[in-house]
Amino acid sequence: MNKVSFLGTMLTVMRKELRDFTRDRRTLLLTLLVAPLLYPVIFLGMGKLSELRKETQLDKPLELPVVGIERAPNLIAYLAGNGINAKAAPTDIEARIRSQQEDVALAIDPEFARDWRAGKPAKVEIVTDTTRRNADVPAARVREALNQYGQTVGSLRLLARGINPMVAAPLNTGTRDLATPEAKSGMFMTILLPMILTIFAFIGGSHLAMDTTAGERERQSLEPLLATPASRGALVSGKMAAAVLLGVVSMLLILLSFKASASLATGATVSLDVSFAAMGKLLLILLPLVLIGTALLTCLAAAAKSMKEAQSHIIWLMMLPMLPAYALMAYPIKDMALWQYAVPFLSQNQLIQKVTRGESAVPEQWAVYLAASLALAALLWLAAVWRYRQEKLAISA
C-alpha cells in the first residue's frame, strides 16, 4: 500500500478502536481516572505519615525504660532535660523489645558509679532491635543524647585539670551539603515516584491493547478485519495508536494530579519541582515507555488464545518497572554513565529522579535514551506485525 493508504487505514482502525472502547463508559473512566485519583492519596498520605512520625517520634517526649536507673542520677537528669524521660525497666525488658512492646531501653552497668569516680569510661548499653525501622528514631535520640552528655562531662573533666577541652578535638569537621532543595525535600519519593510513573506509563493502555487483539480474537471479530486488503502493519499501527493515545491521556492526567498534589503538600514535599517545564520533561521521558508497553502488550496479546490469558501477563509486567528501584536500593550507582540511559526502566528511573531533583540531563543522555527507547519500541512493533501476519491469529480459542 502507498503511504497515504497506510496512514488512512491506520487512522480508520484507530478511530474504530477508540469508538468501541469509549462505548463502555465505566471501563473508560476506570482506565483514565483511577490512577490520577489514587496518586494524591499516595502522595499526600505519605507526606502526612512522614509528618506524623516526626511529631510522634522526634518532637514528643520519649519514655525510656532504664535498667539500673538508680546508678546514674545525673545522667537520668540530663536525659530528662533533653526530652527523654527515664523510668525503671521491667525485668523482661528484652522480651518486650523483641515483641515490639518497647522500642528502646538503656542498661546502666552495675560498675557504672565506680568507673565514673575513677575517671574511667562508664558503660551504658542501648538495648534495641536494629531490624525494626520503628525503633530507628528513638534509638538515635538516645544515642545522640548520650554522646552529648559524654562530651560535656569530658570537657568539664579537662577544665578541672586545667586543660583546654579543645586539645581533645584536633579536627573541626563539618559537612557542606550540595544537594538541591528539591532533592532534599523529595528524598522519600526517590524510589516511589519513578516506580509509580513507570508502572502507569508502561501498562496505562493495557486494557485497550489487549482487548483490540485478544479480546477481538475471543469474540471472533478479528478474522473479518484480517480478511480485508489492509496491510497487517497498518492494522497493528492503528490498534497501537489507539492504545498509545489512551496511555498518553492517562499520563497527562497523572502528571496534572502529581502537580496538584505537590502544590497542596506541606512539609517535606513542598519544594519538589512541579513546574510545567518539569511536567513536560516527565512526559517526554514517559512517552517512549508508553510506546514500548503498548507494543509489548500487543505482541503478547497476539500470542494469547483468550483475554484471560492475555491479562495473566499483567502480573509479571508490573514487576518490570520495579526491578531498577529494588536494584538501586541494594546497590546504588551514579547516574553519569551513558549505558544506563539505554536500559529500559533504569533509564526512566534515573531521568525522573533528575527532573524531580531540579537537575538537568545532558544532551548525550537524552540522545541515548530516546534512541534506545524508540529503537526498542520499533522492534516490538515489528514483532507485533509478524504475529499479525500469522494466519492462526484469526482462529479464535
Side-chain angles (χ1 to χ4, degrees):
M1 301 182 93
N2 56 42
K3 182 177 180 181
V4 175
S5 60
F6 182 94
L7 290 176
T9 302
M10 183 187 73
L11 293 176
T12 300
V13 173
M14 181 185 72
R15 288 194 297 267
K16 175 257 183 188
E17 299 299 349
L18 288 175
R19 185 170 59 251
D20 291 343
F21 186 73
T22 53
R23 286 172 181 167
D24 189 347
R25 300 296 176 84
R26 181 176 297 179
T27 303
L28 176 64
L29 293 177
L30 287 174
T31 302
L32 293 180
L33 298 182
V34 167
L37 293 177
L38 182 63
Y39 191 85
V41 175
I42 298 175
F43 191 91
L44 298 176
M46 289 197 65
K48 184 61 178 179
L49 289 176
S50 299
E51 293 182 9
L52 185 61
R53 186 185 186 193
K54 179 179 181 297
E55 294 173 358
T56 57
Q57 294 189 334
L58 289 177
D59 299 337
K60 287 188 176 181
L62 173 65
E63 298 294 325
L64 178 67
V66 179
V67 178
I69 190 172
E70 71 284 351
R71 297 166 186 162
N74 291 336
L75 173 60
I76 300 303
Y78 181 85
L79 292 177
N82 285 269
I84 302 176
N85 302 323
K87 61 181 181 180
T91 56
D92 61 341
I93 184 60
E94 293 187 4
R96 292 177 64 85
I97 290 178
R98 291 193 185 97
S99 62
Q100 302 185 63
Q101 298 180 56
E102 299 286 352
D103 294 329
V104 63
L106 185 67
I108 301 177
D109 191 79
E111 303 299 327
F112 181 93
R114 188 188 66 180
D115 293 339
W116 185 269
R117 287 191 295 269
K120 298 179 181 180
K123 183 179 180 181
V124 293
E125 288 182 328
I126 299 175
V127 185
T128 186
D129 185 347
T130 56
T131 62
R132 305 286 188 184
R133 288 196 59 196
N134 58 297
D136 291 347
V137 174
R141 287 184 62 182
V142 174
R143 188 177 295 107
E144 179 65 21
L146 291 175
N147 289 337
Q148 291 178 359
Y149 182 71
Q151 292 173 3
T152 301
V153 173
S155 298
L156 292 175
R157 287 179 176 179
L158 291 174
L159 286 173
R161 289 166 174 78
I163 303 174
N164 188 344
M166 300 302 294
V167 174
L171 292 179
N172 183 12
T173 305
T175 300
R176 184 183 302 173
D177 192 352
L178 301 180
T180 62
E182 293 85 357
K184 292 179 181 178
S185 61
M187 286 181 63
F188 82 101
M189 297 293 290
T190 301
I191 297 175
L192 181 65
L193 181 60
M195 187 185 301
I196 291 177
L197 292 180
T198 52
I199 288 176
F200 285 131
F202 187 54
I203 63 173
S206 60
H207 184 83
L208 182 56
M210 292 184 295
D211 184 69
T212 55
T213 300
E216 290 188 3
R217 184 184 185 188
E218 191 174 34
R219 295 189 298 269
Q220 300 183 9
S221 60
L222 185 61
E223 184 177 358
L225 184 63
L226 297 177
T228 63
S231 70
R232 300 297 170 89
L235 297 178
V236 172
S237 300
K239 291 176 178 292
M240 285 181 52
V244 167
L245 181 60
L246 185 68
V248 171
V249 172
S250 176
M251 284 311 308
L252 285 172
L253 293 175
I254 291 173
L255 291 177
L256 290 175
S257 174
F258 168 47
K259 180 176 176 61
S261 301
S263 301
L264 294 174
T266 58
T269 59
V270 70
S271 297
L272 283 175
D273 187 2
V274 292
S275 63
F276 283 106
M279 296 299 101
K281 292 178 183 178
L282 288 177
L283 183 61
L284 181 60
I285 293 169
L286 296 170
L287 182 57
L289 191 57
V290 176
L291 296 173
I292 293 172
T294 302
L296 179 58
L297 284 164
T298 302
C299 189
L300 293 173
K305 295 181 179 180
S306 64
M307 188 64 173
K308 288 183 179 179
E309 182 181 343
Q311 290 173 336
S312 66
H313 291 291
I314 290 295
I315 297 176
W316 66 269
L317 288 174
M318 289 185 63
M319 293 295 297
L320 292 180
M322 301 180 188
L323 295 179
Y326 295 144
L328 291 174
M329 281 192 291
Y331 191 82
I333 59 176
K334 297 179 180 179
D335 60 3
M336 298 181 297
L338 287 178
W339 65 265
Q340 300 176 32
Y341 299 91
V343 180
F345 306 114
L346 176 61
S347 55
Q348 285 88 7
N349 187 90
Q350 301 293 60
L351 285 172
I352 290 173
Q353 287 190 35
K354 280 182 174 292
V355 172
T356 55
R357 285 168 58 92
E359 301 173 357
S360 299
V362 298
E364 292 81 2
Q365 293 170 340
W366 279 109
V368 170
Y369 167 66
L370 292 174
S373 299
L374 295 178
L376 178 57
L379 288 175
L380 292 171
W381 174 81
L382 290 173
V385 172
W386 174 76
R387 294 294 304 180
Y388 261 69
R389 286 175 176 168
Q390 295 179 335
E391 296 302 327
K392 63 180 181 180
L393 179 64
I395 304 174
S396 64

